[in-house]
Amino acid sequence: MFCYQCQETAMGTGCTVRGVCGKTEEIAKLQDLLIYSLKGVAEVVVANKIDVSEIGEVNHALINSLFTTITNANFDGDAIAKQISAILELRDNLKKKYGNVPVKDSAVFTVETKEEMIQKAGEVGVLATENEDIRSLRQFITYGLKGMAAYTEHALNIGKENLEIYKFMYHALAEIEDDSLTADDLVKLVLETGEMGVQSMALLDGANTSKYGNPVITKVNIGVRSNPAILISGHDLTDLEQLLEQTKGTGVDVYTHSEMLPAHYYPYFKKYDNLVGNYGNAWWKQLTEFESFNGPILFTTNCIVPPRKEEIRERIFTTNATGYPGCPHIVPDEKGYKDFSPIIEMAKKLPAPTQIEEGEIIGGFAHNQVFELADQIVEAIKTGAIKKFFVMSGCDGRMKSREYYTEFAKQLPKDTVILTSGCAKYRYNKLGLGDIGGIPRVLDAGQCNDSYSWAVVALKLKEIFELADINDLPIEFNIAWYEQKAVIVLMALLSMGFKNIHIGPTLPGFLSPNVVDVVVDKFGLAKSQTVEEDMKLFL
Ligand code: SF4
Ligand code: SF3
């Protein structure tokens, strides 16, 4: 196996025996083949100039498959093998219907059994591209597409689509396989992927806010009550909605975990009094937190940490693109209804959560809420009460080096404000960093996809201060990355013209030295250094 798609990749260069994430060789290879199968579908769609509005089922399978291969989403080999077969069937049906059969292997290969799939995967994985720089750029784009697919799927679950996104995905997947493309062509495609990434975040933002309202300033309880409860993790708000509907009046409480925390900020969910609060922290602490939670856990997306203990595994349920062997996977009926009753029944038999923290955290500063505070914020900038904003969105992770973000937040001067989103926030959202004239010093917009809010806010400030260049704003980017959603967020920011973004705790292992030179040259991208060095540099 070879995988270097996430920040925790072994030695910073690639997992080759087993993933640091817990992914086995079998899963890694099946995921590689799933991506390869999608390239075959893309070849057929592009060769036949298929109008994507005619192939809804294929579009949806495309984004779900890409999502399945995101770090920590799916560890279920049988489920991935089934998905490969389904994709190949869709590919072959397209060939039959539209007639033009491309000659590319990805468009014609066949496999029947899981063993054949694993065998085939050995020929088509990441290392199949020999040139290191071309490989790097191809994977950069692929990882961006995975992140984009995740956001697109959440929007789809709410019933919102943008056909241009699917069209782009087919185009990009076919281009990645095109050997005539030069490194320059691929750099161009990286930026196009970023532009489409902005579209996918805008789509999801529109879907979320049209259905659940614009996030508002909210205090979220981090303690517990005495009822039995279900913990819901991941990013999908429609699952939370269905779970709250089904637990209403049953005496079973619901708590959010990790990336589901921002659900509390949406007006729509405030009517559920059994939505009690947020339990725990970022994804990587889940094994200990699940232990003390006592009740069942529903994963709506990544990040799953393979549960070592049987006792915890027995309480885990998955849905959407997630999967774990032995854990029940809940699928919707034709109307989209998911029957969560097995989870609710399990909860009733288990003890209430054990309290691990108490108090409240504050959030809900997505673009609309920030615009409502615009006068106050602009005034604070003009008077010098706020000197600088630091966008510290992104992911959290296990590495000790991520203590950097806690320390960085602590050491920032009192006239600075942190703009956050994604699970990176857990590194500093409980530090009590105070406020500036009533404006909290940590503004949480929401999930990683809500990084979109910070781009919207930056554009608004540029307009208010009548600046020619977005980089003239008093905003610095110090982003933490881990999985592929952070990759699309980064690409989106680059495509919008933001320069000198710092990322950490390491540069992506999938960027070859030459590609690093390009992104440093072109965009001023840099790796975070020590807190002291960065403090000096930024201030
Ligand atoms: Fe390694 Fe990350 Fe790939 Fe898992 S997802 S195998 S940790 S690079
Ligand atoms: Fe976190 Fe996995 Fe990326 Fe949506 S839950 S940000 S790491």
Side-chain angles (χ1 to χ4, degrees):
M1 69 173 275
F2 183 84
C3 180
Y4 61 176
Q5 68 174 353
C6 84
Q7 190 272 325
E8 292 187 356
T9 192
M11 315 293 285
T13 52
C15 297
T16 53
V17 185
R18 191 191 169 89
V20 173
C21 59
K23 192 157 90 176
T24 59
E25 167 148 42
E26 178 180 305
I27 303 297
K29 287 195 160 165
L30 289 169
Q31 292 184 350
D32 285 350
L33 192 67
L34 183 53
I35 295 290
Y36 189 67
S37 312
L38 297 174
K39 289 175 180 166
V41 172
E43 291 293 339
V44 179
V45 172
V46 172
N48 287 285
K49 298 196 179 70
I50 299 176
D51 176 352
V52 297
S53 70
E54 292 172 8
I55 53 167
E57 189 190 355
V58 185
N59 301 336
H60 304 163
L62 165 76
I63 54 174
N64 191 259
S65 301
L66 284 166
F67 200 169
T68 299
T69 68
I70 280 189
T71 300
N72 293 334
N74 202 309
F75 295 87
D76 187 342
D78 291 341
I80 302 169
K82 217 168 122 193
Q83 184 79 352
I84 293 170
S85 301
I87 292 294
L88 295 183
E89 197 184 327
L90 288 170
R91 180 199 69 183
D92 294 343
N93 288 342
L94 288 179
K95 288 193 292 196
K96 265 186 231 142
K97 182 162 175 205
Y98 292 91
N100 186 348
V101 180
V103 288
K104 282 266 175 70
D105 177 66
S106 60
V108 292
F109 82 97
T110 55
V111 282
E112 297 286 335
T113 63
K114 195 155 104 182
E115 288 62 42
E116 283 174 21
M117 291 176 184
I118 292 168
Q119 175 78 23
K120 177 73 186 171
E123 303 158 19
V124 301
V126 173
L127 298 178
T129 305
E130 273 166 33
N131 180 302
E132 184 187 39
D133 301 324
I134 299 288
R135 183 198 307 149
S136 171
L137 290 163
R138 285 179 170 179
Q139 294 308 319
F140 194 6
I141 296 159
T142 307
Y143 303 152
L145 293 177
K146 293 183 183 196
M148 193 191 301
Y151 297 154
T152 307
E153 182 163 290
H154 293 306
L156 174 67
N157 289 347
I158 298 179
K160 302 279 188 221
E161 288 185 275
N162 173 351
L163 296 179
E164 291 304 314
I165 296 177
Y166 303 130
K167 209 164 129 188
F168 176 79
M169 285 176 163
Y170 294 120
H171 159 78
L173 283 168
E175 293 252 289
I176 290 171
E177 282 300 272
D178 185 344
D179 290 328
S180 70
L181 257 59
T182 64
D184 283 344
D185 297 331
L186 289 169
V187 170
K188 225 177 108 221
L189 192 55
V190 165
L191 287 182
E192 285 166 17
T193 308
E195 283 163 23
M196 209 38 86
V198 178
Q199 297 299 319
S200 71
M201 284 186 261
L203 175 71
L204 179 53
D205 181 75
N208 283 339
T209 53
S210 66
K211 177 119 196 240
Y212 303 117
N214 272 301
V216 292
I217 303 177
T218 303
K219 284 185 176 152
V220 181
N221 167 33
I222 55 173
V224 300
R225 297 203 301 208
S226 56
N227 298 331
I230 298 167
L231 192 59
I232 177 167
S233 192
H235 305 64
D236 200 279
L237 299 180
T238 61
D239 290 323
L240 175 67
E241 181 190 349
Q242 293 207 33
L243 185 64
L244 287 169
E245 273 303 313
Q246 293 177 39
T247 47
K248 215 166 52 180
T250 60
V252 173
D253 285 342
V254 174
Y255 294 79
T256 55
H257 188 258
S258 192
E259 273 288 70
M260 197 56 88
L261 156 67
H264 294 273
Y265 311 156
Y266 289 89
Y268 186 94
F269 294 116
K270 295 189 187 293
K271 63 176 180 258
Y272 297 100
D273 35 330
N274 67 328
L275 177 60
V276 176
N278 188 71
Y279 190 85
N281 296 279
W283 65 273
W284 60 279
K285 290 191 174 166
Q286 64 186 244
L287 292 180
T288 42
E289 291 172 355
F290 289 177
E291 192 149 8
S292 58
F293 185 76
N294 303 324
I297 302 112
L298 171 63
F299 273 105
T300 68
T301 70
N302 57 321
C303 280
I304 299 177
V305 178
R308 285 183 301 272
K309 292 189 182 165
E310 177 98 32
E311 187 279 314
I312 292 178
R313 199 162 54 238
E314 281 171 348
R315 288 191 272 129
I316 291 179
F317 295 75
T318 63
T319 189
N320 302 319
T322 62
Y324 197 83
C327 299
H329 184 75
I330 297 177
V331 285
D333 66 14
E334 12 5 294
K335 290 197 180 121
Y337 176 82
K338 292 183 183 175
D339 180 7
F340 291 137
S341 58
I343 315 182
I344 300 168
E345 287 317 308
M346 179 184 282
K348 285 179 183 165
K349 295 188 200 103
L350 291 168
T354 308
Q355 179 145 308
I356 52 173
E357 293 173 299
E358 58 181 347
E360 286 172 334
I361 45 179
I362 191 166
F365 299 92
H367 53 83
N368 193 70
Q369 179 66 83
V370 174
F371 287 175
E372 279 175 19
L373 301 171
D375 291 347
Q376 215 182 324
I377 292 171
V378 169
E379 190 56 25
I381 299 173
K382 283 186 177 156
T383 61
I386 296 178
K387 288 256 161 49
K388 245 181 193 184
F389 294 96
F390 285 83
V391 175
M392 290 176 70
S393 297
C395 309
D396 197 9
R398 286 170 275 228
M399 278 185 171
K400 187 153 170 57
S401 52
R402 286 186 190 258
E403 285 169 8
Y404 162 94
Y405 294 102
T406 310
E407 207 40 48
F408 186 87
K410 278 188 191 160
Q411 288 193 26
L412 274 175
K414 298 234 172 317
D415 54 9
T416 58
V417 172
I418 295 173
L419 309 178
T420 194
S421 55
C423 65
K425 67 170 76 68
Y426 287 99
R427 287 282 169 179
Y428 41 78
N429 68 344
K430 294 170 185 171
L431 294 177
L433 294 178
D435 62 279
I436 300 176
I439 304 164
R441 288 196 51 234
V442 179
L443 299 182
D444 179 19
Q447 300 176 334
C448 49
N449 43 285
D450 296 308
S451 311
Y452 173 72
S453 266
W454 300 130
V456 173
V457 167
L459 289 174
K460 187 78 187 169
L461 287 175
K462 175 176 170 252
E463 186 190 308
I464 294 174
F465 287 99
E466 296 174 353
L467 298 171
D469 185 345
I470 205 155
N471 294 294
D472 293 338
L473 286 166
I475 301 180
E476 305 284 354
F477 288 83
N478 193 7
I479 288 178
W481 84 284
Y482 172 58
E483 34 78 321
Q484 298 76 51
K485 298 186 205 175
V487 174
I488 193 61
V489 170
L490 174 67
M491 282 175 147
L493 293 172
L494 295 179
S495 78
M496 292 182 76
F498 289 105
K499 295 255 169 10
N500 304 319
I501 295 172
H502 285 231
I503 61 167
T506 55
L507 282 179
F510 58 80
L511 295 182
S512 68
N514 286 331
V515 173
V516 169
D517 285 348
V518 172
V519 286
V520 169
D521 257 21
K522 249 180 123 98
F523 310 107
L525 192 79
K527 188 187 95 59
S528 51
Q529 304 294 325
T530 65
V531 175
E532 290 67 30
E533 283 168 301
D534 287 348
M535 222 31 96
K536 242 190 249 148
L537 189 84
F538 283 127
L539 298 164

